[in-house]
Structure formats: C-alpha cells, structure tokens
Amino acid sequence: MSAPTHTPRTVGVPGIGTLTIHDTVLPHGRVQFKVTGPHIKGTFIVAPEAKRGGTVLPTTVQVQYGDGLEPQTYYTPRPDEPVVYRVSVHGHTAGLDPDAIPTRYFLGPYAVASGRTFLTERLPDGTRQRTEAVVRCLLELWRDRDDVAELKLAAAVARADEHAKYEEQQADQLEAEVQKVTAQRVSARRTVNQLTGILRRRAGAVLPADPTPVKVPFYDRHGHQMGILTVRETPAPTGTRPGSVVYNVQGARVAGSFTVERYRYSSTPWPEGISVTYGIPTSRYGHEARDEPAINTVRLSGGWSSGDTGRITLTTPDRLPARIRLSPTTGCSAPVATERRASGVLRALALRYLARPDAEALHLAAAKDRAPALLTATRQKLKELREQQRKLTRKAAEHRKRAGQYRELLAPPRTLPDIQSDPSSLLGWEGEGGAVLGVPAPRPVPVAPKRAEPVERFVGRGAGSCKAGQRGG
C-alpha cells in the first residue's frame, strides 16, 4: 500500500486547468478522490468491479459520482456529488478499463444530471465534456498507483463469498444437466442398438392379399350392432408403405377402400400404434388417396391414428375422425350419424388387421422400412448429445475451479512452511495482474488487506493527460 500523505496534489489537465485532488483509500479497494478546480467541485470514487461471472480479480473499474457506499437509490442524490458548470452529476459509469481509457462519449446512460425534484435528465454537453476529462485524469492516476494490485484484491475478497456461492450454484445446475444428457445418451445408444438389430433381422413371411370376401360385424360405442360388412383384401399398389393392408369394404351403407398400417410417425424403433386411411394413398408420403369410401353417401377423407393399440376394442375409442374433403387442402367434419358409423368401421378394420396371422411379419416390415432414416437421425442426435455433454462438463469444471479460487481468497494467509508442504495451491492463477486464465501458472499467495480505518493519501505523479504540479500547502 502506498505511503499515506496529507498534502493535496495539484494536477494540470489540458482544456480545464489545474485541479486539486485529495485521495483517500476506503475499504474494499475503493479510492475516494475529492476534486476541486475551475467550474468543478465534488467527490469521485473509483472502485474495482468485482463482477459476478467476471475474472476472479477485477480488470475494470467503476466511477461513482458522489460519496457514500453502494447500493444507492438511483434518484436519491449522493453526498458531495460533483458540480460541473453548476450542474450536479449523479449516477455512475461502469466497465472502464484503466489500461484502455476511452476518449469521448463514455459516461454512459447512468451518468445524469440530478435536480431538486428527484428527476434526472441528460447532462449538458459542456458538463459532460468536462466530467469526461476529469474522469480520464482520475483513471490515469488510479492506474499508476503502486497499490493497484492490493486494491483489486481487496475488492475481490469483499465479494468472494457471494461469488463463490454463485459459481457453486452454476456448477450444480450444469452437473444436473450433464446427468440428464447422460441419460439421453444412454437412451439414444439403446435406440441405435435396437434399430441395428431390426435391420439385421430376417424378414418374416407376409401373406398375399386374400380376395375371399369375409363378413365382419361392426358396432357403435354402446355395443349395438350397426350392420355387417363384406371385406376383401386387395393387393397393395406400388409405392404403398411396407406392412400396409388394403381392405375393400361393401355393405351397410359403406362402400370404398381403407388402408391399415402401423402408426407411421412413431419415434420408437418399433412403430407402435396403428393408422387407418380413408382410401388408398396415391404416394408414399402424400395425404391424397384414391377410392375414398362413402359412408351414408358422404365421401370421407383423411384417417385415424392411435399410438396405443391396447385401447382399441369394438366399442372404444367411442368417437373417431370423419371429414369431408372440400379441396386438396381443406375439409370439414362429417355429420354426426356418418361419424358414428365410420367410427364403428374403423374399429372393426383395425382389430382385423391386428388379429392377422402374419401381424408380426407386417410389424417387422414396417419397422425395417423406417429403420434406416431413424438410425441416421438417432446417430446424429447421439453425436450432438456427446458434444453437449462435453461442453456442459467443461463449463461445470470451470465454475468449480472459480469457486475454489474465490474460497481461497477467503482462506487465512498461509505461512512459508504450509506452502512448501502443499505447492499445488499455487496453480491455476495468472502471476502478474491476477486475471484467471484457466491454465496452470504460479502466483503469489494472496494476502487479504488489513481491515482498518480509511487511510488518506494524495495521488502521486500523473500520466497522460494529467500533468503533476507542485504540492500545495
């Protein structure tokens, strides 16, 4: 720490004149500058910014206009706020780098003019320019102090416990996310194995279409028989998805074709569920179909899908979709009576499909058809999850390391025998300047500053735009 002095320093500032500056070191690395000069008088406080998520030792400073401690109500004037050209400067300017001092328009939105009505307004241009010149001078003086490292350390120690808890909280959250991603990777690997197994399985024998007519009764949701259907299997046209069966249905005010298959949009390796399409799809992935059935003389389009085949009985689900096509892309709901009859037909055909003797072979055919695309997508997802886990693990380790560095700031000073017995405690810090680089490097053991009453001193020789004058009386 610089030796205290009780003699103010006069500093020449180009464009302003001579300033008389009296500085005092406050707790937590803050330095109070009382400035008097042409058209300016008041207190500035320069404080290292120990920011959450920033470097362990601060690299930027904040200039506070007026005396007192943070935090302060924004509209409440501080004691001894700088008065520049009879305008009281209120607020603060943050994020200033003493090693790269800006030149113009850097005071920011939180440096304002305060009035007696507790309202704030923009600083006049002359006030702003003169305030900027003074702030630049103070930053240069602060930068050239011989106790800058101790001031930064004191600021870091003051908030070390708060920041250590924050870093630990961030690490806990990231580690919880790592566990979730790990579980997703396990699931994705299991899916890859299942899909690979499906592709390697020998395809089962699918029975050819049987055109023999079969009488199939169908029922409403209350279990009342609605009629008898004559059902014939017809060969699936070229382009139909494997595992599909086409039924031609006649009778009981029903005429047309229905295509029954496994649920095409299932994301599981085995396509669970079932889909029934009104008509025969004209393309593999299209939504248009030919020979759409007419029920109660109403031609229907679309279809029905269910992800749970265990819920399908002759009476459940009670209401299934039935829509009338108005155009290639629009439609409307069918009358209630038509919907009721269509629901019974859909349930009866779905159960007949599931009861086929070659149902397992149809299931395997549908699974093999979609397995290559699912396998490619799952492998891509697995790659992304692996990269995500790597990033999360690295970030969690960084937060843990930073938490340990903050905790080390709070630890009691170590003696030379302690350091010699455990030299590993010196790793992970940057030597000169104190900024954390994240790579092993030796550093001096930090020593917390003494907690004492504010020590008054006056700035030494200025640099840059500040020209040191003679000592005052």
Side-chain angles (χ1 to χ4, degrees), residues 10-282:
T10 57
V11 179
V13 180
I16 293 182
T18 301
L19 300 179
T20 301
I21 302 177
H22 176 193
D23 75 330
T24 303
V25 177
L26 303 177
H28 310 323
R30 297 154 57 86
V31 179
Q32 176 195 77
F33 292 93
K34 290 186 174 294
V35 180
T36 304
H39 305 292
I40 181 169
K41 182 178 181 180
T43 297
F44 298 77
I45 293 181
V46 179
E49 290 183 306
K51 297 184 291 187
R52 177 189 298 179
T55 56
V56 175
L57 296 183
T59 58
T60 60
V61 299
Q62 172 180 293
V63 176
Q64 172 185 308
Y65 307 113
D67 210 346
L69 298 176
E70 293 284 2
Q72 180 78 7
T73 304
Y74 183 65
Y75 295 103
T76 302
R78 293 182 174 279
D80 196 27
E81 289 185 335
V83 177
V84 183
Y85 287 132
R86 299 183 181 180
V87 175
S88 180
V89 181
H90 176 71
H92 67 274
T93 299
L96 297 173
D97 184 355
D99 295 323
I101 301 173
T103 57
R104 299 180 62 191
Y105 300 105
F106 63 86
L107 294 187
Y110 298 108
V112 293
S114 61
R116 297 180 180 178
T117 59
F118 297 98
L119 298 177
T120 60
E121 58 186 17
R122 175 181 176 275
L123 289 172
D125 290 343
T127 301
R128 176 187 55 79
Q129 293 171 1
R130 182 160 292 241
T131 304
E132 286 179 343
V134 174
V135 169
R136 284 196 299 270
C137 178
L138 296 180
L139 291 176
E140 292 173 358
L141 296 176
W142 186 91
R143 178 191 62 196
D144 295 336
R145 297 173 63 96
D146 55 7
D147 59 352
V148 167
E150 297 176 42
L151 296 174
K152 292 181 178 180
L153 181 60
V157 170
R159 304 191 65 183
D161 184 63
E162 171 192 345
H163 289 173
K165 291 178 180 178
Y166 169 78
E167 297 292 341
E168 290 165 353
Q169 181 183 21
Q170 295 298 305
D172 290 341
Q173 293 176 356
L174 289 170
E175 288 166 358
E177 292 184 28
V178 169
Q179 293 180 356
K180 294 180 181 178
V181 173
T182 301
Q184 293 174 4
R185 286 187 62 190
V186 171
S187 177
R189 281 195 296 267
R190 185 184 302 114
T191 299
V192 168
N193 293 336
Q194 291 173 335
L195 291 170
T196 304
I198 288 172
L199 291 172
R200 291 175 178 175
R201 286 186 61 173
R202 180 177 299 177
V206 177
L207 299 177
D210 186 359
T212 305
V214 178
K215 301 297 183 181
V216 178
F218 66 106
Y219 302 83
D220 65 12
R221 60 176 181 162
H222 302 293
H224 302 146
Q225 183 172 326
M226 303 180 71
I228 301 293
L229 302 173
T230 301
V231 179
R232 295 181 177 84
E233 295 179 9
T234 61
T238 303
T240 304
R241 285 180 290 271
S244 303
V245 176
V246 178
Y247 294 103
N248 182 265
V249 180
Q250 300 291 331
R253 299 199 295 275
V254 179
S257 297
F258 297 79
T259 303
V260 188
E261 60 184 330
R262 284 290 177 172
Y263 181 48
R264 71 187 73 171
Y265 299 115
S266 171
S267 59
T268 57
W270 286 95
E272 303 299 336
I274 197 169
S275 293
V276 184
T277 302
Y278 292 110
I280 305 173
T282 57

Side-chain angles (χ1 to χ4, degrees), residues 343-367:
S343 298
V345 175
L346 292 176
R347 291 191 295 263
L349 294 178
L351 290 173
R352 181 166 180 79
Y353 175 87
L354 293 173
R356 287 176 60 94
D358 59 349
E360 184 176 349
L362 292 172
H363 199 176
L364 179 58

